Amino acid sequence: MEGEKMQMDLEPGLYCFGGNVDGQLGLGNDDSPINKPVLHPPPPNINELFPLISLGSYHSVFLPPSSFDPHVLTNGRNDDGQLGRTTGRNFVPTRVRPLDQFVIKSIAAGEFHTLALTEAG
């Protein structure tokens, strides 16, 4: 018996798939599930891959390349403030403005929280 075959011509980039009920994949919607890899659209003016990406249970955190004025971007559920803002869900990566005053070197997402390590430590 011959198995089902699927060929995909993928271009380099960040692909995402899976649960997206809270917009945690950052695709601009809450369509879920995403069953096939989808190329993640880069935020405006960012043409390089993200060097750091961290995923919580219902949110995502991105740190753009250092050549692009690095700042933290988050999207997904925000029930516990894990997106770094007071508003609800975000379906696309959105800048965490309170962190703009720092040079962020690393990020980490927990189940319902986010960490950002500054250059000063």
Side-chain angles (χ1 to χ4, degrees):
M1 186 166 155
E2 199 171 309
E4 187 176 345
K5 294 181 180 180
M6 180 173 82
Q7 179 180 351
M8 297 179 68
D9 295 323
L10 300 177
E11 60 184 272
L14 172 63
Y15 285 83
C16 53
F17 45 94
N20 190 42
V21 294
D22 289 296
Q24 62 265 45
L25 297 181
L27 297 172
N29 59 53
D30 59 355
D31 296 344
S32 189
I34 304 298
N35 294 320
K36 293 187 270 183
V38 175
L39 182 61
H40 192 286
N45 304 318
I46 298 179
N47 298 320
E48 303 173 50
L49 293 177
F50 292 95
L52 290 174
I53 301 168
S54 188
L55 309 173
S57 292
Y58 301 99
H59 72 294
S60 302
V61 186
F62 304 88
L63 187 62
S66 59
S67 61
F68 177 84
D69 180 27
H71 52 267
V72 176
L73 304 171
T74 58
N75 60 269
R77 184 185 285 181
N78 194 37
D79 294 350
D80 296 295
Q82 61 266 47
L83 300 185
R85 61 184 66 80
T86 57
T87 59
R89 298 183 299 176
N90 274 38
F91 296 133
V92 295
T94 304
R95 194 174 189 154
V96 181
R97 297 228 175 250
L99 293 177
D100 283 354
Q101 63 185 309
F102 304 104
V103 175
I104 303 298
K105 295 309 236 178
S106 188
I107 53 172
E111 187 171 3
F112 301 110
H113 65 280
T114 299
L115 303 170
L117 178 65
T118 66
E119 184 175 51

